[in-house]
Amino acid sequence: MGRPDPSAGAYVAAIQRKLAEQDKVAYRMHAMGTSLEGSTEDILAVVGDLHSVPFDLGLPRVYTVLKLDERRDRPEQTLDDKIASVERRLGG
């Protein structure tokens, strides 16, 4: 917010570079955001670092949206597992 250009691509690229520098969480960028995979503690720490990136690039205001989805009955479940589950249902 507060940027002269309506495109956020340069900021998204900077955030993706910051993600690539860390090894706490797995991540997957998609058209409307980025999914993070890891422990809640690690995700919250990484999100804190990512939230700072646009400020570091000179923006005066940053708006971050975070949704958490945690299954304690299946802590080993991955993003790929979730996609595969739906794809199996589509195929059957």
Side-chain angles (χ1 to χ4, degrees):
M1 297 181 76
R3 61 186 189 267
D5 183 350
S7 174
Y11 303 101
V12 173
I15 288 168
Q16 292 298 311
R17 282 193 284 280
K18 184 81 167 178
L19 272 169
E21 294 172 0
Q22 59 81 42
D23 61 359
K24 291 182 181 180
V25 301
Y27 61 95
R28 181 178 302 159
M29 182 179 68
H30 48 86
M32 298 303 294
T34 301
S35 295
L36 305 177
E37 186 173 53
S39 72
T40 300
E41 296 77 19
D42 287 344
I43 288 171
L44 292 175
V46 168
V47 168
D49 291 340
L50 299 177
H51 182 79
S52 298
V53 170
F55 286 119
D56 295 342
L57 296 173
L59 289 183
R61 183 176 182 181
V62 176
Y63 179 71
T64 298
V65 177
L66 175 65
K67 292 193 301 184
L68 292 173
D69 179 10
E70 181 178 5
R71 282 194 64 173
R72 293 194 175 174
D73 63 322
R74 295 198 52 205
E76 75 289 347
Q77 186 181 47
T78 67
L79 294 172
D80 288 334
D81 294 336
K82 292 177 182 185
I83 292 168
S85 174
V86 173
E87 287 174 344
R88 280 193 303 276
R89 286 173 170 82
L90 289 170

